[in-house]
Amino acid sequence: MDGYRIEHDSMGEVRVPEKNWWGAQTQRSFENFKIGTEKMPTELIDAFAVLKLGAARTNAKLGKLSQEKLDLIEKACSEIREGKLAGEFPLAVWQTGSGTQTNMNLNEVIANRANALGGGAVKLHPNDDVNMSQSSNDTFPAAMHIAAVRETENRLLPEVRALAEEIHRLERENEGIIKTGRTHLQDATPIALSQEMSGWRAMLEKSAAMIASSLEGVRELALGGTAVGTGLNAPKGFDWMVAEEISGLCGTRFVTAENKFHSLTSKDELVFAHGALKALAADMMKIANDVRWLASGPRCGLGELFIPENEPGSSIMPGKVNPTQCEAVTMVAVQVMANDTAVGLAASQGNFELNVYMPVCIYNYLQSIRLLADACRSFRVNCVAGIRPNRERIAQNLSASLMLVTALNPVIGYDNAAKVAKKAYAENITLREAAVALGLLTEEEFDRHVQPEKMV
């Protein structure tokens, strides 16, 4: 049986498992919040490690932290970032709304691990040293922003762009294929398959650009505001210096928030940025729905696209194959749209000098990034890469479309063209036969004016 050791905090003694590096405050939170299975995201923990390292370096530059202590904090933070201490961050999302115990979880683990690495030569305190010049109230929102920017840039945007490029490849390969367009789920004038696909690509490119643009506000860090935005106990210059340190560590730009009173209590930058994630989700929903509708069948649907057959689709219907990748994408889209509601509601609860819905806000934000990135990759690799046109069905549907009659508007007028379409539909004959029967055109005249390839 694992043993325990006694740790102390301002409230007294706490028994902590001997095998773990955390301390009293982490243990209290672990015991007091047995709610759900959702834990603080690993992306946030990594962002916190970056933040603590950046703060320690800044404090050392300002003469507040010794080089010996900085060296030990560097080593402990490196172990966190390398995943060597992954089991040391067990706290639930459903804890204090400021994320104080997660901040203290990092402080305690870094201090205890650093002390062990130092062999007791230098004694670090979680509050006095690791949390120096900081408060949970400015570190947690700063870590949220660091995690959001890094995951968006490093994880999501590359996958969105890769999917857009895969669709661009399909465009180039399928140039010259003319098919029936559809509006209101009804037949419309012709369109090139490559044109239809270009719409999907442009959606992804636009979404990527909007997401990248939305990060500008998220690059602002609350660090230096400490408890209520006044910067109490933080030395002059700490805020902009620590932002520069964190920028260097992350390889991307962060700046200090101009107004710390705003950055502690408002989460509007995350609401705005998640709105761009929701826009991507909406586009992904549309693209996946288009693909599965165009691939519907195989005999009794539209059947204009072939998609990869990845697994059996039914436990009772032999041979059935379903558009499972499309379905996964659409479920992800629904979850992201729901997350947007949670992020917005959480951000609306900034009372006085602090928002206390921050853990649920960043949990949903990071989940959206993770799901969208994974869905883009899975959809690209397991579906889009294998899409092929069903040329025979596309030609059949195009030739049967009544909306080819639109090409006759300039020749016989809208009203007469409508008569041709309605007669062809009512009598189940071709447009050419209807036009000739109505005495509006000869067969040769019809063929000269109705050429689908010239209608796109």
Side-chain angles (χ1 to χ4, degrees):
M1 175 179 272
D2 294 329
Y4 290 86
R5 69 179 187 277
I6 300 300
E7 289 272 355
H8 301 80
D9 61 12
S10 60
M11 296 182 68
E13 295 182 347
V14 179
R15 289 206 316 166
V16 176
E18 188 66 42
K19 64 180 181 178
N20 294 114
W21 293 109
W22 68 67
Q25 290 201 42
T26 303
Q27 187 66 30
R28 291 186 193 278
S29 182
F30 183 67
E31 293 175 359
N32 290 338
F33 295 96
K34 301 288 188 181
I35 303 174
T37 59
E38 297 81 9
K39 305 300 180 184
M40 283 294 181
T42 56
E43 303 94 334
L44 184 71
I45 300 303
D46 189 70
F48 252 114
V50 170
L51 183 157
K52 293 298 177 181
L53 177 54
R57 288 181 177 179
T58 303
N59 283 320
K61 288 181 178 179
L62 290 168
K64 290 175 61 66
L65 189 71
S66 71
Q67 186 62 45
E68 293 79 10
K69 289 184 176 181
L70 172 60
D71 291 343
L72 292 174
I73 290 174
E74 291 249 12
K75 291 178 181 178
C77 288
S78 293
E79 289 192 352
I80 294 172
R81 298 183 68 191
E82 292 166 7
K84 294 179 179 178
L85 303 178
E88 297 298 319
F89 307 101
L91 299 188
V93 169
W94 322 107
Q95 54 161 282
T96 175
S98 62
T100 298
Q101 270 62 63
T102 288
N103 180 42
M104 285 307 304
N105 188 186
L106 269 293
N107 291 335
E108 291 174 343
V109 169
I110 292 170
N112 287 337
R113 181 58 183 154
N115 288 333
L117 290 169
V122 179
K123 186 70 173 177
L124 279 87
H125 189 280
N127 298 80
D128 297 336
D129 297 310
V130 185
N131 201 58
M132 181 183 288
S133 307
Q134 306 154 61
S135 163
S136 296
N137 295 352
D138 66 348
T139 58
F140 200 91
M144 290 168 69
H145 281 206
I146 293 167
V149 170
R150 294 176 74 201
E151 289 302 301
T152 301
E153 289 187 334
N154 299 334
R155 185 170 190 167
L156 176 60
L157 289 176
E159 292 297 344
V160 177
R161 290 164 180 154
L163 177 57
E165 182 53 39
E166 188 67 32
I167 294 175
H168 195 195
R169 178 189 64 78
L170 286 178
E171 281 180 67
R172 296 190 296 267
E173 289 183 0
N174 291 287
E175 287 181 359
I177 299 176
I178 311 302
K179 64 185 291 291
T180 298
R182 295 178 178 87
T183 58
H184 303 270
L185 298 182
Q186 304 294 307
D187 300 345
T189 55
I191 187 174
L193 178 58
S194 60
Q195 291 174 325
E196 188 168 46
M197 289 175 169
S198 77
W200 302 342
R201 170 180 53 80
M203 288 178 189
L204 296 170
E205 292 171 344
K206 288 278 190 180
S207 285
M210 287 188 286
I211 290 168
S213 176
S214 75
L215 292 181
E216 285 308 298
V218 189
R219 296 183 189 278
E220 297 183 9
L221 301 182
L223 281 170
T226 65
V228 295
T230 60
L232 179 67
N233 292 344
K236 184 176 177 59
F238 175 83
D239 54 355
W240 64 265
M241 289 177 66
V242 75
E244 286 191 350
E245 285 288 345
I246 291 170
S247 297
L249 287 165
C250 295
T252 191
R253 181 175 58 87
F254 289 98
V255 297
T256 188
E258 182 178 347
N259 188 312
K260 305 299 192 299
F261 306 105
H262 164 270
S263 58
L264 264 62
T265 195
S266 175
K267 299 291 153 274
D268 49 12
E269 300 100 340
L270 290 173
V271 173
F272 183 75
H274 198 281
L277 300 182
K278 181 172 70 172
L280 172 60
D283 283 341
M284 290 292 291
M285 174 76 83
K286 183 265 191 296
I287 294 168
N289 276 335
D290 279 2
V291 169
R292 64 175 168 177
W293 274 109
L294 290 171
S296 62
R299 291 186 174 177
C300 300
L302 297 179
E304 293 186 349
L305 294 181
F306 295 118
I307 59 176
E309 298 182 352
N310 296 324
E311 59 269 322
S314 174
S315 61
I316 189 173
M317 293 175 279
K320 193 174 193 300
V321 180
N322 296 330
T324 51
Q325 288 294 320
C326 297
E327 291 166 4
V329 168
T330 55
M331 286 191 289
V332 164
V334 167
Q335 184 64 59
V336 172
M337 292 175 191
N339 286 352
D340 192 69
T341 299
V343 170
L345 288 173
S348 73
Q349 299 303 306
N351 301 126
F352 302 114
E353 277 64 62
L354 186 68
N355 178 288
V356 291
Y357 287 68
M358 289 192 287
V360 69
C361 182
I362 193 60
Y363 177 83
N364 282 278
Y365 193 103
L366 292 175
Q367 186 192 58
S368 291
I369 291 175
R370 196 181 310 117
L371 290 176
L372 286 168
D374 290 351
C376 283
R377 183 188 308 111
S378 183
F379 189 49
R380 170 174 58 86
V381 172
N382 299 310
C383 182
V384 176
I387 288 177
R388 294 179 296 109
N390 184 340
R391 292 173 180 267
E392 182 179 357
R393 180 63 67 86
I394 287 173
Q396 289 173 351
N397 288 342
L398 179 63
S399 65
S401 173
L402 296 176
M403 290 305 100
L404 295 176
V405 78
T406 307
L408 297 178
N409 285 358
V411 182
I412 61 177
Y414 181 94
D415 289 340
N416 281 332
K419 291 177 183 178
V420 171
K422 290 182 177 180
K423 182 177 181 64
Y425 181 63
E427 299 179 17
N428 196 27
I429 58 177
T430 66
L431 290 172
R432 180 197 290 110
E433 291 169 337
V436 172
L438 289 169
L440 296 171
L441 292 167
T442 65
E443 289 186 352
E444 292 74 15
E445 289 173 327
F446 182 92
D447 290 340
R448 186 167 67 251
H449 292 297
V450 181
Q451 300 182 50
E453 65 276 9
K454 293 184 178 180
M455 297 176 68
V456 299

